[in-house]
Amino acid sequence: MRSYAEYLQCTNCHKEYDYINPYRTCQECGKVLYVKYDMEKAKKNFDRNSLIGRVSSMWRYYEMMPIKDESNIVSLGEGMTPLLKANNLGKVLNCSDIYIKDEGCNPTGSFKARGLSAAVSRAKELGVKKLTMPSAGNAGGALSLYCARGNLEANVFMPKDAPIANKRESSDAGAKLTLINGLISDAGKISREQALEKGLFDVSTLQEPYRAEGKKTMGYEIAEQLHWDTPDVIIYPTGGGTGLIGIWKAFQEMQELGWIDKPKTRMIAVQSEGCAPIVKAYQSGALNAEMWSDAKTFAAGIRVPSAIGDYLILEAIRESSGTALTVTDVEMVECISMMASHEGIYPAPEGAATLAALKSLLAANKVYPEEKIVLMNTGNAYKYLDMWD
Ligand SMILES: *Cc1c(COP(=O)(O)O)cnc(C)c1O
Ligand SMILES: [Zn+2]
């Protein structure tokens, strides 16, 4: 098999970069770089029927993945998670077509596995040996475990109050874990200083081009699992937004490949009332989000006060006629139990937020009962048992 990855391009100023050197963000404007593929060749040679019989992981889409030599892939079997029909919830909410994409089934217990599998694989391919990141939890754990698998060095900077599971998985995996007396933004500052001082490659959210390529595979899978249809609605718990923009990127690519019709999906971002920079920007019509001060929510994955990809998230929401809304921590806790007791799916608080969002969208007539709805459960509850009671 061959990957059609060809070059990198800035999503803002469109400057192009070669596919040989380890770039992170745009050197002109500092914004997010995307991996670009030779779509003409891919369209000719990568037929969706060629997926039949392939590995049941996100690497089944290899031609549209960023790794040039298959032997560099660092995998724990991430992706191809179940898309479960939620009929019991459907009954209660009076909806006929709800699905839950259960990312809690991933190795490391969250969908961060996808991004880090792609980023660690590409780092290995580029000859980068030492990685660093600040993390609220799941990303740091996944980085540590994937680096262990691929024989790379992981440096993780985590706030002291991160879930116990994330601290344990990082240190048990042999990462250099530093606990910070402060917020994720403080951890970020120390990680950046250490990167400069010790020559570490910073794999913070959307500050290198490859984690988004791992996360985009959720979009490929949803379409494949729906027999090459796209849902009417996808509800996504939004922190840095990698998954939301990744799914949107995947839909554009699949349309170019001729695999799907123009996607009809409305991309919906849900955030916590205590940290909602994207919702605020969406509602005010702004193209960028302002930094959210005093961020508060127990859902660590969406406690992200400022996202470098804010303009891309807002663009995907608007282009798809989606929306953005907040839910409270209390609603998340209720919906953890609601999803568990009705469907047997035990979601992370962030995943539960999508159910809380669906309830209020139905009440506000922004989503309709007969629509095909996909809730993204981005992780499993087992990693958070110390975070609520
Ligand atoms: C990181 C994380 C999120 C947010 O993902 P982004 O792609 O950064 O928006 C949501 N849920 C869980 C469980 C996470 O770990
Ligand atoms: Zn640029």
Side-chain angles (χ1 to χ4, degrees), residues 76 104 106-113 138 141-142 145-146 169 380 383:
L76 294 164
N106 274 305
T108 79
S110 90
F111 73 159
K112 290 292 192 299
N138 285 327
L145 290 154
Y146 279 93
E169 64 189 342
N380 72 49
K383 298 190 79 176

Side-chain angles (χ1 to χ4, degrees), residues 63-93:
E63 285 87 336
M64 295 300 291
M65 294 293 279
I67 309 304
K68 299 306 273 185
D69 177 347
E70 275 180 84
S71 70
N72 289 319
I73 294 176
V74 181
S75 175
L76 294 164
E78 53 292 324
M80 218 54 205
T81 54
L83 183 68
L84 299 163
K85 186 90 193 283
N87 286 332
N88 297 332
L89 282 174
K91 262 196 203 119
V92 177
L93 300 174

Side-chain angles (χ1 to χ4, degrees), residues 89-208:
L89 282 174
K91 262 196 203 119
V92 177
L93 300 174
N94 195 27
C95 290
S96 55
D97 221 7
I98 306 180
Y99 295 81
I100 298 171
K101 181 70 171 159
D102 192 8
E103 291 293 300
C105 298
N106 274 305
T108 79
S110 90
F111 73 159
K112 290 292 192 299
R114 295 180 189 264
L116 274 311
S117 173
V120 170
S121 299
R122 184 63 180 154
K124 191 174 163 192
E125 182 156 274
L126 289 166
V128 173
K129 294 198 167 56
K130 298 179 178 185
L131 304 182
T132 183
M133 71 154 60
S135 169
N138 285 327
L143 174 69
S144 306
L145 290 154
Y146 279 93
C147 279
R149 179 89 170 152
N151 300 310
L152 279 79
E153 180 184 303
N155 296 265
V156 177
F157 298 85
M158 226 181 251
K160 254 197 185 122
D161 59 356
I164 290 174
N166 297 130
K167 294 182 245 183
R168 288 241 173 111
E169 64 189 342
S170 299
S171 55
D172 284 340
K176 297 189 174 167
L177 172 65
T178 310
L179 295 175
I180 306 291
N181 215 341
L183 300 170
I184 180 75
S185 44
D186 304 311
K189 193 164 161 259
I190 300 174
S191 172
R192 279 193 296 279
E193 286 166 5
Q194 293 284 305
L196 269 180
E197 199 176 300
K198 298 185 177 155
L200 314 174
F201 191 75
D202 189 336
V203 289
S204 297
T205 301
L206 290 175
Q207 298 195 25
E208 55 77 56

Side-chain angles (χ1 to χ4, degrees), residues 229-240:
D229 192 11
T230 48
D232 297 300
V233 170
I234 293 179
I235 306 181
Y236 183 86
T238 305

